């Protein structure tokens, strides 16, 4: 049996993938360069804008937002104040703004792509059967693998970092949007039909509002997955706190790595609690 298996020629999947990548990079290099150039320019402008805002003002804005969005509770607001002041005190404020830009763009792109795909899946069984295996592939493939096409298409820097983060973070929004809309009670959908609602009216006035909690849960997970790619994306030149962690790892600087990692933890907790609070019905 082993001899029989050994005589079977290996499937040249690797060379096939390389051929496809070479074809894409050769024929769409102008398109990829355009995205890389304009994307880098736009994201650098956003980072420069965030850095230009006095840190104390930005910290106070986050604290005020946390206070009101959590129903005028002091827990998250106090944590945000102490945590962000700690990050500033450690000289990591600029790196935090770079990380914010990366997470912001990757999350927005993932949400813009994810919600329509989720709606499509909820309306078409064929689309669901096609998209589900792709989402399974995207979620189970190690995040490091996404760095390879990202570098091939866009070189190094923040743009390929966002590209890899979008692939990694997209599935939760798609899945949860699909799930939320499919879980809307059929009686309510039939009632909307009986009143003569169009497909768009039924979708935007009945299904999406009722599926809001589930969709927001998916968005929350997408944002957190985007943040989890920060350190991985730093391996291909993405700036931010992740680069500080990677540098500390390469130089065996335990202290610097711990401080940068703690900054990421603080940022992650603030982002997580804020996005969860958007879905809290008691939010004032």
């Amino acid at each position: 049996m082993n001899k029989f298996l050994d005589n079977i020629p290996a499937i040249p999947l690797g060379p096939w993938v390389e051929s496809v990548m070479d074809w894409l990079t050769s024929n769409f290099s102008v398109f990829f360069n355009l995205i890389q150039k304009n994307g880098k320019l736009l994201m650098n402008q956003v980072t420069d804008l965030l850095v230009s805002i006095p840190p104390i003002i930005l910290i106070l804005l986050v604290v005020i937002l946390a206070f009101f969005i959590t129903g005028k509770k002091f827990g998250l607001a106090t944590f945000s104040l102490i945590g962000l002041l700690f990050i500033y005190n450690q000289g990591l404020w600029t790196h935090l703004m770079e990380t914010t830009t990366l997470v912001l763009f990757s999350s927005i792109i993932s949400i813009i792509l994810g919600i329509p795909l989720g709606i499509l899946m909820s309306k078409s069984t064929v689309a669901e059967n096609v998209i589900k295996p792709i989402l399974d592939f995207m979620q189970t493939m190690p995040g490091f693998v996404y760095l390879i096409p990202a570098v091939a298409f866009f070189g190094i820097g923040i743009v390929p970092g966002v590209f890899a983060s979008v692939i990694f973070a997209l599935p939760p929004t798609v899945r949860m949007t699909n799930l939320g809309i499919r879980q809307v009670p059929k009686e309510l959908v039939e009632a909307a039909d009986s009143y003569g609602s169009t497909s768009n009216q039924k979708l935007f006035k009945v299904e999406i509002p009722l599926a809001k909690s589930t969709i927001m849960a998916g968005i929350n997970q997408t944002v957190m997955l985007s943040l989890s790619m920060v350190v991985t994306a730093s391996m291909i030149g993405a700036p931010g706190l992740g680069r500080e962690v990677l540098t500390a790892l390469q130089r065996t600087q335990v202290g610097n790595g711990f401080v940068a990692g703690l900054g990421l933890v603080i940022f992650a907790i603030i982002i997580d609690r804020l996005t969860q609070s958007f879905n809290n019905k008691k939010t004032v």
Side-chain angles (χ1 to χ4, degrees):
M1 185 65 181
N2 289 337
K3 291 182 179 179
F4 174 75
L5 293 175
D6 291 338
N7 290 329
I8 298 176
I11 299 174
L13 181 59
W16 290 345
V17 173
E18 289 186 9
S19 298
V20 172
M21 292 296 297
D22 290 340
W23 183 83
L24 288 173
T25 52
S26 299
N27 291 275
F28 295 93
S29 59
V30 175
F31 173 71
F32 292 137
N33 289 335
L34 183 66
I35 294 178
Q36 202 277 342
K37 181 179 178 181
N38 291 304
K40 181 180 179 181
L41 178 62
L42 177 60
M43 285 182 268
N44 285 341
Q45 289 177 340
V46 172
T47 302
D48 291 341
L49 175 63
L50 292 173
V51 172
S52 67
I53 301 174
I56 189 62
I57 293 178
L58 201 53
I59 291 172
L60 289 176
L61 288 175
V62 173
V63 170
I64 293 171
L65 175 64
F67 177 72
F68 283 102
I69 206 171
T70 55
K72 298 182 179 179
K73 297 178 181 178
F74 288 96
L76 181 59
T78 303
F79 178 83
S80 300
L81 177 63
I82 296 173
L84 293 176
L85 286 175
F86 168 79
I87 293 174
Y88 176 75
N89 175 262
Q90 296 298 308
L92 297 173
W93 187 257
T94 299
H95 300 300
L96 176 63
M97 296 300 101
E98 292 170 340
T99 298
T100 302
T101 300
L102 191 152
V103 173
L104 180 66
F105 274 85
S106 58
S107 298
I108 290 175
I109 294 172
S110 297
I111 293 167
I112 290 174
L113 295 175
I115 291 179
L117 283 174
I119 294 172
L120 176 63
M121 287 177 65
S122 70
K123 298 299 181 181
S124 170
T125 303
V126 174
E128 184 180 33
N129 292 335
V130 171
I131 296 174
K132 261 190 174 180
I134 298 175
L135 297 178
D136 293 337
F137 176 86
M138 293 167 66
Q139 286 188 294
T140 54
M141 182 67 71
F144 292 99
V145 178
Y146 299 135
L147 303 183
I148 301 173
V151 172
F153 293 151
F154 304 108
I156 61 173
I158 191 171
V159 174
V162 170
F163 176 83
S165 298
V166 168
I167 298 176
F168 187 71
L170 179 64
T173 295
V174 181
R175 289 186 185 277
M176 298 302 279
T177 300
N178 174 40
L179 178 65
I181 293 177
R182 285 183 179 273
Q183 286 183 337
V184 172
K186 292 183 179 180
E187 294 81 4
L188 296 177
V189 176
E190 292 172 355
D193 288 331
S194 66
Y195 280 102
S197 299
T198 64
S199 297
N200 287 336
Q201 288 174 332
K202 184 169 60 177
L203 175 64
F204 290 104
K205 294 185 177 181
V206 178
E207 293 173 324
I208 289 181
L210 291 174
K212 175 191 169 187
S213 296
T214 307
I215 294 173
M216 287 300 299
I219 290 174
N220 171 264
Q221 290 304 302
T222 287
V223 174
M224 298 310 295
L225 286 175
S226 297
L227 185 55
S228 72
M229 278 292 288
V230 166
V231 177
T232 303
S234 67
M235 299 178 66
I236 54 174
L241 292 171
R243 180 184 290 177
E244 293 301 298
V245 174
L246 181 63
T247 301
L249 174 64
Q250 293 170 338
R251 299 177 181 177
T252 322
Q253 297 173 332
V254 180
N256 291 343
F258 177 80
V259 171
L262 184 58
L264 279 172
V265 171
I266 293 170
F267 184 56
I269 292 175
I270 294 172
I271 294 296
D272 180 54
R273 299 300 185 272
L274 285 176
T275 52
Q276 284 187 19
S277 296
F278 275 114
N279 198 30
N280 188 345
K281 294 181 180 180
K282 295 181 180 180
T283 299
V284 179

